[in-house]
Amino acid sequence: MSTPRKTPTMADVARLAGVSPMTVSRAFKQDASVSEHTRSAILEAADRLGYVFDSTASNLRSQRTDFVAVTIPSINNANFADTVRGLSEGLKARGLQILLGYTDYDINEEERLIEQLLRRRPEAIVLTGGRHTPRARRLLENASIPVIETWDLPETPVGHVVGFSNAAAVRTMVDHFVSTGIERIAFIGGDADRDTRGTDRRAGFIAAMTEHGLQADRLIAAGAPPISMREGADAMGRLLNDLPDTQAVICVSDLSAFGALTECQRRGVDVPGQISVAGFGDYEIANICVPSLTTLNPFPREIGTRAAKLILDVLDGHQTEPATIIVAPELMRRHSSR
Amino acid sequence: MSTPRKTPTMADVARLAGVSPMTVSRAFKQDASVSEHTRSAILEAADRLGYVFDSTASNLRSQRTDFVAVTIPSINNANFADTVRGLSEGLKARGLQILLGYTDYDINEEERLIEQLLRRRPEAIVLTGGRHTPRARRLLENASIPVIETWDLPETPVGHVVGFSNAAAVRTMVDHFVSTGIERIAFIGGDADRDTRGTDRRAGFIAAMTEHGLQADRLIAAGAPPISMREGADAMGRLLNDLPDTQAVICVSDLSAFGALTECQRRGVDVPGQISVAGFGDYEIANICVPSLTTLNPFPREIGTRAAKLILDVLDGHQTEPATIIVAPELMRRHSSR
DNA sequence: TCCCTTTGTGTTATCGTTATCGTGGTCCAA
DNA sequence: TTGGACCACGATAACGATAACACAAAGGGA
C-alpha cells in the first residue's frame, strides 16, 4: 500500500534518537563508550524503525570485513563439514564469520571461486587442497592476507599449511595389510586428474606397494571424483570378476568402501573372510555398518581448530613466518579387515 | 622486504591505462560500451598491477550485491546440499551468487544468522523451514526482499513457499504400511522442539495412526536432532527390547533408518521378515544398503530449481503475489519393507 | 586548588566504486 | 546539408558507515 520505503540508515536512527550518526555507530559496537541511557534510546529507535545495520558501508569505510573465506570441495561431505565446524568455532570468539564456497573438486572452479571470494576482501582465506591453477596461485600471493592450505601437504605452499600427506596416509594402510601377510592389494579410486587428494592417495598406494616389492597393478578407476557409494559398488563388482584372488582393497573414501562392502554382501562374498576392505575418512558409517570399516581418521575437526588458531595468531602478529602444521591420520582397525 | 603495499584500486588501473576510473569500471562489466582497444589495455593494466575488483565498494554504490542468502540446517546433509545445488545452478545464469549459512537445526541460531545475512543486503533470502522466532519473522518482513521458505508448508508463510507438508509425507508412509496389513508401527525421531521438520513428521505420524484407529504410542526419542546413525541404532535396540511385537518402524531420516537396520543385523533380526524399516530423504545410502531402504524422496534438487526460478520471476516483476509451490515427496518402495 | 586523565559525544572527511549527466565525434537518412 | 541517433568516454557526486580528531564535562590525585 505504501511506496516501498527506503531502508532506514543510521542517520534516520540518529535523528529519532536525538544523537549524531557517529553515536549510533558506536552504540552498535559492543565495546564503545556510549552511556547506557543513550545506548538504550538508540537501540529502541533502531528497533522502531526496523533498522538493519548495513555492513557493505561499514566494510568499505573501515576496510575490514571480519570474515574468513573458506573453500571446500563439496558442501555434502562430513569430513569437510567437520573442518568448517572447527574453523567456525575457533573464529567465533574473535567475531570472525565464515564465507563458504565450494569448488566441486575442480581446480578451475576453485580459481573462479577464489577470485569471487577475494573481491569481497576477506581477512584470511582457507583452502582445501594444495594444488591450484597458476592464476589462482598468483591471486592468492597478491592478496596480502593469510592463506592456509589444508587437507594436504604441498611441496611449495602458498602460505601456511594445516594438513597431512595423503600419499603417506595410504602408505600406512598398505603397511598395515602387508604386516598381516596380505600381498594382493587393490585400490579403488576416481579417475585421475581431478580430485587432487584422491590422485595423491592413489600415488601413495603405488609407491608403497612398489617399496614392498609388490605389484601395484590392481587399480580400479570408478568414475569422476568424488566417487559415490554406487560407483564403489560397481568397481568392487569389476574387481571380483576380473581379479578374484585379490585379498584386500583400499578405497579412496569410506563412502566408496561402503558401496564395495554392499556389493560383497549382494554376492555373498565374506568380508573380511574372503577379502578385506578399507576406506578413508572415518565417517560415521564406517563405525556403524556391518561389518564396521577399517579406515583412516584424518581428524577433520582438529584441522579446522588448528587452522583457526593459526589465523588468529597471524592476524595478531604472533606468527609471522609461514607455518606447516601436520595432523597425521590414524589407522582405525575394524571388522572389515583381519 | 617492501612495505605491505596498498591494494591497487581502479584509479591506479586508470592511471596506468591512461583512461578515467569510470572507463575502467565499465570495462569490468560485460555489457558496457567500451571499445575493444581500450578494454584490452585496461585489462592488461589491471593484470600487471594485480588489481582485484573491490565488491564492497561496488555493492555500496550500486546498492546491489548480486547474491542470494540461503540458510540450511547443516552443511553436511545430502538433501540440503542438493537443494543448494539446484538453487545455485538456477541463479548462476543471472549472475547471482549464493551466500550460505547454517543454523544447526536451531531457530535461535537461525535468528542470529538471518540478521547477519540481512546486514549484507542480499537480493533475496531462502530459508529451510517455515518456523522462526518472532524477531526473525519481523526482520524478514521488514527486509523488503523476496523471502522463500522451503522444505515445509507453513500455515502463515512470511512470503513465498517451495516445499511440502512433512506431516502429510509421513502420513503417506503410514498409509502404505497400513495398506499392507501392518498395524503395530513405531516412529523413531529426535527429541521434540528443536528440528521443526522432525517434529512435524512425528505429529504427522501420530495423526495418521489415530485416523486409522491405531495406537500411536510407539514413539522412540533418540536424542537431539539431527539424530545420527548411531542414535538410530540405539533407538532400534530399545524398540526391539521393549516392544518386540512391533511390525514396522518409520525413522525420521534415512540416516537413522540405516542405523536401525544395522542394529537388526547385529541382533540377527530379519528385515523385512520380522520388522519393516522405512526412512526419509532417499539419500544414496537408502538405495545401496542391503536390504535397500523404503523411503520418501522429497526431490531436494527440484526444490532448489523451483525456488531459483521463483526468485528470478519475483526480481523481474513477473511474480508479484506470494506463491506457494508444492513439491510432493514420493514413496520409494524397496527391500526393507514388504 | 590545579592539572591531568577519563568519559561521552560531535564534526569532518573519507573508503572505492558507479549512477547520472554531459560532451565531442561519427554516421546516415531525409 | 542538416538534424538526430548513437558511440566512447569523462566529470561529479554520491552510497552509508566510521577513522581521526576535537572538545566539554566529570572525576581524581597531588
Side-chain angles (χ1 to χ4, degrees):
Chain A
M1 51 198 81
S2 66
T3 60
R5 76 258 170 282
K6 224 172 56 55
T7 359
T9 72
M10 276 194 177
D12 300 315
V13 176
R15 209 167 306 121
L16 183 57
V19 296
S20 76
M22 192 63 235
T23 303
V24 177
S25 173
R26 284 194 266 250
F28 271 85
K29 315 271 150 210
Q30 75 282 35
D31 57 58
S33 60
V34 179
S35 76
E36 257 330 301
H37 177 255
T38 321
R39 162 173 279 128
S40 64
I42 289 171
L43 294 183
E44 200 204 303
D47 193 65
R48 182 143 58 199
L49 291 175
Y51 171 72
V52 176
F53 186 89
D54 186 335
S55 55
T56 66
S58 170
N59 292 340
L60 175 60
R61 172 63 242 227
S62 66
Q63 296 289 78
R64 292 185 313 109
T65 54
D66 285 337
F67 70 78
V68 171
V70 180
T71 75
I72 55 178
S74 157
I75 52 168
N76 176 28
N77 180 299
N79 277 177
F80 302 134
D82 281 346
T83 295
V84 171
R85 213 169 281 272
L87 265 167
S88 150
E89 307 227 322
L91 296 174
K92 184 184 309 181
R94 199 64 123 271
L96 289 169
Q97 305 247 320
I98 282 185
L99 185 62
L100 199 62
Y102 57 95
T103 66
D104 266 326
Y105 294 89
D106 178 357
I107 61 171
N108 294 304
E109 193 55 48
E110 187 197 51
E111 176 188 315
R112 276 188 287 279
L113 182 62
I114 287 172
E115 181 162 30
Q116 284 302 322
L117 292 172
L118 290 180
R119 287 175 166 212
R120 297 188 199 269
R121 300 289 189 262
E123 313 286 346
I125 182 164
V126 178
L127 308 166
T128 305
R131 205 169 304 166
H132 320 285
T133 66
R135 201 173 97 83
R137 239 192 125 84
R138 245 180 343 115
L139 287 168
L140 293 167
E141 283 161 353
N142 283 336
S144 62
I145 55 173
V147 175
I148 325 265
E149 291 165 285
T150 63
W151 281 87
D152 205 344
L153 203 57
E155 286 179 26
T156 54
V158 178
H160 309 273
V161 176
V162 180
F164 56 89
S165 158
N166 283 276
V170 169
R171 177 184 310 257
T172 307
M173 187 64 83
V174 171
D175 291 349
H176 163 60
F177 280 133
V178 171
S179 74
T180 64
I182 289 178
E183 300 200 328
R184 296 189 297 281
I185 311 174
F187 184 87
I188 290 177
D191 304 336
D193 288 339
R194 204 169 123 99
D195 174 26
T196 63
R197 280 162 301 289
T199 306
D200 289 347
R201 288 175 203 163
R202 175 198 310 261
F205 171 76
I206 294 172
M209 291 293 279
T210 306
E211 280 183 30
H212 282 291
L214 301 172
Q215 287 290 99
D217 53 359
R218 296 167 193 251
L219 299 168
I220 316 284
I227 64 171
S228 61
M229 293 178 178
R230 168 62 59 200
E231 287 163 327
D234 292 347
M236 182 57 122
R238 271 178 281 144
L239 182 64
L240 292 173
N241 288 341
D242 300 348
L243 302 158
D245 64 337
T246 302
Q247 297 169 290
V249 55
I250 298 174
C251 300
V252 73
S253 80
D254 283 354
L255 304 185
S256 47
F258 175 73
L261 199 61
T262 64
E263 185 63 20
C264 293
Q265 293 175 331
R266 275 184 290 273
R267 293 179 179 225
V269 171
D270 182 51
V271 175
Q274 291 176 252
I275 188 169
S276 291
V277 176
F280 190 102
D282 198 20
Y283 292 72
E284 187 185 19
I285 196 173
N287 199 21
I288 202 168
C289 64
V290 181
S292 58
L293 266 173
T294 291
T295 188
L296 287 160
N297 179 358
F299 302 106
R301 192 192 188 88
E302 175 90 359
I303 291 177
T305 54
R306 300 288 281 270
K309 178 159 176 2
L310 182 55
I311 289 171
L312 297 183
D313 284 347
V314 174
L315 292 180
D316 288 346
H318 299 150
Q319 172 79 42
T320 51
E321 293 305 301
T324 291
I325 297 172
I326 293 182
V327 178
E330 182 181 315
L331 180 69
M332 312 297 285
R333 288 192 62 173
R334 300 239 177 75
H335 299 303
S336 67
S337 69
R338 280 173 300 178
Chain B
M1 46 201 84
S2 66
T3 59
R5 75 259 171 282
K6 221 171 59 55
T7 7
T9 71
M10 276 193 178
D12 299 316
V13 176
R15 210 169 305 122
L16 183 57
V19 296
S20 77
M22 192 62 237
T23 304
V24 177
S25 172
R26 282 193 266 251
F28 271 85
K29 314 273 149 208
Q30 75 283 38
D31 57 60
S33 60
V34 179
S35 75
E36 256 330 301
H37 178 255
T38 318
R39 161 173 281 128
S40 64
I42 288 170
L43 294 183
E44 200 204 304
D47 193 65
R48 181 144 56 199
L49 291 174
Y51 170 73
V52 175
F53 186 88
D54 186 335
S55 55
T56 65
S58 170
N59 291 341
L60 175 61
R61 173 63 242 224
S62 65
Q63 298 287 78
R64 292 182 317 107
T65 53
D66 285 336
F67 70 78
V68 171
V70 180
T71 75
I72 55 178
S74 158
I75 52 168
N76 175 28
N77 179 300
N79 278 178
F80 302 134
D82 282 345
T83 295
V84 171
R85 214 168 280 272
L87 264 167
S88 154
E89 307 228 320
L91 295 174
K92 185 185 308 181
R94 199 64 122 271
L96 289 169
Q97 305 248 320
I98 282 186
L99 185 62
L100 199 62
Y102 57 95
T103 66
D104 266 327
Y105 294 89
D106 179 355
I107 61 171
N108 294 305
E109 193 56 46
E110 187 197 51
E111 177 188 313
R112 277 187 286 279
L113 181 61
I114 287 172
E115 181 162 28
Q116 285 302 323
L117 292 171
L118 290 180
R119 288 174 165 213
R120 297 189 198 269
R121 300 289 188 263
E123 312 286 345
I125 182 164
V126 178
L127 308 166
T128 305
R131 206 170 303 167
H132 319 286
T133 66
R135 201 173 96 83
R137 239 193 124 84
R138 243 175 350 108
L139 286 168
L140 293 167
E141 282 162 353
N142 283 337
S144 62
I145 55 172
V147 175
I148 326 266
E149 292 165 285
T150 63
W151 281 86
D152 205 342
L153 202 57
E155 287 179 24
T156 54
V158 178
H160 308 273
V161 175
V162 180
F164 57 88
S165 159
N166 283 276
V170 170
R171 178 184 308 258
T172 306
M173 188 63 85
V174 171
D175 291 351
H176 163 61
F177 279 133
V178 172
S179 75
T180 64
I182 290 178
E183 299 199 329
R184 294 187 300 280
I185 311 173
F187 183 87
I188 290 178
D191 305 336
D193 289 339
R194 205 169 123 98
D195 173 26
T196 64
R197 281 163 300 288
T199 306
D200 289 347
R201 287 174 204 162
R202 175 197 309 261
F205 171 76
I206 295 172
M209 291 294 280
T210 306
E211 279 181 31
H212 281 292
L214 299 172
Q215 287 291 99
D217 53 359
R218 296 167 192 253
L219 300 169
I220 316 283
I227 64 172
S228 62
M229 293 178 179
R230 169 61 60 202
E231 287 163 327
D234 292 346
M236 183 57 123
R238 272 178 280 143
L239 183 65
L240 291 172
N241 288 341
D242 301 347
L243 302 158
D245 64 337
T246 302
Q247 297 169 290
V249 55
I250 298 174
C251 299
V252 73
S253 80
D254 282 354
L255 304 185
S256 47
F258 174 73
L261 198 62
T262 63
E263 186 61 22
C264 294
Q265 292 175 332
R266 276 183 290 273
R267 293 179 180 226
V269 171
D270 182 50
V271 176
Q274 292 174 252
I275 188 168
S276 292
V277 175
F280 191 103
D282 199 20
Y283 293 70
E284 187 186 20
I285 196 173
N287 198 22
I288 203 169
C289 64
V290 181
S292 59
L293 266 174
T294 291
T295 189
L296 287 160
N297 178 358
F299 301 108
R301 193 191 188 89
E302 174 90 0
I303 291 177
T305 54
R306 300 288 282 270
K309 178 162 175 358
L310 182 55
I311 289 171
L312 297 183
D313 285 347
V314 174
L315 291 180
D316 288 346
H318 298 149
Q319 171 80 40
T320 51
E321 293 304 302
T324 292
I325 296 172
I326 293 182
V327 179
E330 183 181 313
L331 180 69
M332 312 297 285
R333 288 192 62 173
R334 300 237 178 76
H335 298 304
S336 68
S337 69
R338 280 172 300 177

